[in-house]
Amino acid sequence: MAAITFVDVTLRDGNHTYRHQFTPEIVSATAAALDRAGVDIIEVGHGDGLGGSSLHVGRAAASDQALLQAACRAVRNAKVAILALPGFGLFGDLEMAADAGVKVARIATHCTEADITEQHLRRAKELGMFTVGYLVSAGMATPEQLAEEAAKLESYGADYVNLAESQGHLVPSEVAARVRAVHKAVKIPIGFHPHNNLGLAIGNILAAVEEGASFIDGSLKGFGGGAGNAQTEVAITALKRAGHQVNADLFGIMDAADVFSRQVAPQPMPVIDNDSILMGYANVYGGYIHPVRHAAEQYGCDPRELVLRLGERKVVAAQEDVVIEEAQRLAQAMRKAA
């Protein structure tokens, strides 16, 4: 049975669902609860990572520095992590994070563009951080492509490679094939970050672990972009039930979930609604759920048709302009048909 390092991403991925309005108080209380529960790594920040606060993807309620300082002060044993997408996150942001006490840097890019991460991975390494090469939207690449990109990340000094199944599109056999291919291509550990659009996040985690993944992501109450992530307290329970070694305490993680839900009440927890199901089916990034709904309402088009068009366009993260473009095209076609 595998020894699992658990990474809770509530305070970063969940910021998408909270429209990037997490406060230092929410971060502090939740990070402390996760730390008491024995979670290994706690990821914190804007939903789109360091430097993500912008009109394009959403203004944050607090600065990256304020959120990271709140988390680092709240924990005793857990390591605080950041996500950084080169282009949003700059070297100065990495340096600020290191000064705040961040120990883990997860450097992210689209699953076929690992070369973009090299400079940021090397700079994070120089700053003494444990570094992660993070491949976004892993369901948009073949196992062979992911293996090739993972090998690049290893050569850049990544301590492990994380496969993010950002759309909740893959089924367990497809996850297994991708982790298996990457496991053969690299000597560093492999992580897995699932979303739950088709209700398969926990099954996909178990499939990933069976093929050698040893770092697993989840969020409390499933609070993450779109239909949400794997629910941390469920994932930890399922991993323990399957006989794997997880440091987090069962009762403690349930308590942490309750602490977090009180912090964000009355915000509803993510559910697998019709839009989320369709986004998983069409392989569309879950972070687009709010832009899709807004654009469909603004231009008077069917959000379901909009999601299918975005799937056909193979949109990736940070292409919100394409959502507007396709909504306008749909509205125009509807007017012509009328």
Side-chain angles (χ1 to χ4, degrees):
M1 293 295 102
I4 304 298
T5 300
F6 203 90
V7 184
D8 187 89
V9 301
T10 312
L11 295 173
R12 195 280 302 170
D13 208 330
N15 222 347
H16 283 298
T17 299
Y18 211 60
R19 297 183 182 272
H20 313 292
Q21 298 305 295
F22 282 162
T23 63
E25 292 75 22
I26 291 173
V27 167
S28 180
T30 306
L34 286 165
D35 185 59
R36 288 193 298 271
V39 167
D40 303 290
I41 298 173
I42 303 168
E43 191 177 70
V44 177
H46 185 280
D48 290 284
L50 286 179
S53 180
S54 64
L55 287 174
H56 183 58
V57 294
R59 289 284 190 191
S63 68
D64 291 333
Q65 185 176 41
L67 297 179
L68 294 173
Q69 287 176 340
C72 290
R73 289 169 183 160
V75 302
R76 294 185 177 182
N77 299 306
K79 294 180 173 64
V80 173
I82 53 87
L83 183 83
L85 287 81
F88 281 157
L90 307 176
F91 278 12
D93 297 308
L94 289 174
E95 291 155 7
M96 175 278 294
D99 287 342
V102 170
K103 301 300 183 185
V104 180
R106 309 215 299 175
I107 310 301
T109 189
H110 185 64
C111 59
T112 58
E113 298 174 357
D115 55 304
I116 291 174
T117 67
E118 180 176 5
Q119 292 182 354
H120 283 65
L121 281 169
R122 295 194 188 283
R123 182 59 185 141
K125 256 318 205 206
E126 291 169 356
L127 293 166
M129 290 192 271
F130 182 77
T131 58
V132 185
Y134 191 109
L135 296 175
V136 176
S137 299
M140 297 184 75
T142 66
E144 294 75 21
Q145 288 173 315
L146 289 175
E148 183 178 342
E149 297 301 308
K152 293 179 187 177
L153 295 172
E154 183 177 39
S155 75
Y156 303 153
D159 292 298
Y160 82 89
V161 56
N162 208 49
L163 305 182
E165 214 282 271
S166 314
Q167 286 87 333
H169 176 70
L170 299 179
V171 301
S173 60
E174 293 172 319
V175 170
R178 283 159 174 78
V179 175
R180 188 184 311 123
V182 171
H183 195 249
K184 291 178 180 178
V186 301
K187 296 178 181 177
I188 56 176
I190 301 164
F192 181 62
H193 172 107
H195 279 254
N196 202 37
N197 293 64
L198 301 181
L200 296 171
I202 301 300
N204 283 342
I205 281 175
L206 295 175
V209 170
E210 286 176 4
E211 292 296 338
S214 57
F215 285 76
I216 294 297
D217 290 7
S219 61
L220 297 170
K221 300 290 187 181
F223 204 81
N229 304 97
Q231 192 169 335
T232 288
E233 58 275 26
V234 177
I236 287 172
T237 305
L239 286 164
K240 286 177 177 287
R241 172 67 183 82
H244 301 298
Q245 179 185 332
V246 187
N247 289 329
D249 174 71
L250 195 59
F251 291 172
I253 201 63
M254 292 175 180
D255 291 342
D258 289 340
V259 167
F260 173 70
S261 62
R262 289 196 296 271
Q263 293 296 310
V264 299
Q267 169 76 35
M269 297 299 115
V271 295
I272 308 176
D273 58 18
N274 289 343
D275 291 342
S276 297
I277 293 168
L278 197 58
M279 292 176 88
Y281 175 79
N283 208 9
V284 173
Y285 174 54
Y288 284 143
I289 195 160
H290 291 307
V292 162
R293 288 171 178 169
H294 179 73
E297 182 178 354
Q298 182 179 0
Y299 295 102
C301 60
D302 188 332
R304 297 170 297 184
E305 291 289 346
L306 180 53
V307 167
L308 292 177
R309 285 197 174 209
L310 294 174
E312 291 170 359
R313 288 280 300 267
K314 299 187 185 306
V315 292
V316 299
Q319 286 188 303
E320 282 79 2
D321 55 325
V322 179
V323 178
I324 300 299
E325 178 184 325
E326 288 299 332
Q328 290 173 333
R329 288 180 176 175
L330 263 177
Q332 185 179 25
M334 289 170 60
R335 287 195 297 269
K336 286 182 178 178

